[in-house]
Amino acid sequence: MAISTEVDQIRRGVQPAAWARAGALLLTARAVFTVGTGRSGLALQMAAMRFMHLGLDTHVVGETTARAIGSGDVLVAASGSGSTARVVRAAETAREQGANVVALTTDPGSALAQTATETLVIPAADKKDFDGTTSAQYAGSLFEQSVLLLTDALFHALWRSSGTQARELWRLHANLE
């Protein structure tokens, strides 16, 4: 029950306008890339799959098939602290190459947020909330759960606004299983 209560608090604390702007960036992107480490990275891999189902040219940073990022592309980057070196470096490189960056973080003043085109603040604990002041859960669990749920909600909103039927999305679902 504590987890669902915390997730509901996060839902009430997000800024819908920022998420709508992020969605617009995704829909107009030449290609979408995702980057995160640990569980945040795993959550963004799931988001990448859903973005692909929308028909977006989608890549996970670090995969051998990910092409170079460039102008007109979007990097979706997640770091609870906003200071994870690999994620911040990827965001800086993306901006240097003319791409937009959508940052998911708990810290609006972080290096990641400062680099981003659009910052989606998730009012959760980061992995160093050892006192449990923001979340009763271990480390960055609430942030990581929120990345998954909120990017799924973003996918859902983009899908519904497209008018595309579920059967049409299914044609892009993996068939080499």
Side-chain angles (χ1 to χ4, degrees):
M1 194 60 129
I3 293 173
S4 60
T5 299
E6 287 185 354
V7 169
D8 193 49
Q9 289 171 341
I10 296 300
R11 180 190 56 79
R12 290 192 307 268
V14 299
Q15 300 297 317
W19 286 84
R21 289 189 301 268
L25 286 173
L26 293 176
L27 291 178
T28 60
R30 184 177 66 143
V32 176
F33 294 76
T34 64
V35 66
T37 62
R39 288 170 39 114
S40 300
L42 292 171
L44 280 186
Q45 286 182 34
M46 289 186 271
M49 182 180 191
R50 289 297 183 239
F51 298 153
M52 176 275 298
H53 286 144
L54 287 174
L56 303 177
D57 181 17
T58 307
H59 305 276
V60 175
V61 172
E63 293 295 319
T64 58
T65 57
R67 65 167 180 74
I69 196 167
S71 181
D73 295 334
V74 172
L75 174 68
V76 179
S79 168
S81 66
S83 62
T84 306
R86 176 177 182 257
V87 176
V88 173
R89 275 194 313 272
E92 291 169 346
T93 300
R95 291 307 297 264
E96 289 167 5
Q97 297 301 313
N100 287 306
V101 174
V102 173
L104 290 83
T105 184
T106 65
D107 184 357
S110 67
L112 179 59
Q114 297 307 309
T115 304
T117 310
E118 187 66 54
T119 300
L120 305 176
V121 177
I122 298 175
D126 71 25
K127 63 187 173 192
K128 294 185 180 176
D129 181 35
F130 300 124
D131 298 326
T133 55
T134 306
S135 173
Q137 298 182 62
Y138 175 71
S141 292
L142 181 58
F143 175 76
E144 298 146 3
Q145 293 157 1
S146 299
V147 168
L148 172 59
L149 293 171
L150 292 169
T151 56
D152 263 2
L154 177 60
F155 157 79
H156 186 77
L158 295 175
W159 169 44
R160 288 308 199 188
S161 69
S162 76
T164 306
Q165 298 298 311
R167 279 188 172 80
E168 294 173 57
L169 296 184
W170 187 254
R171 68 181 175 75
L172 295 174
H173 196 277
N175 59 7
L176 295 175
E177 299 179 292

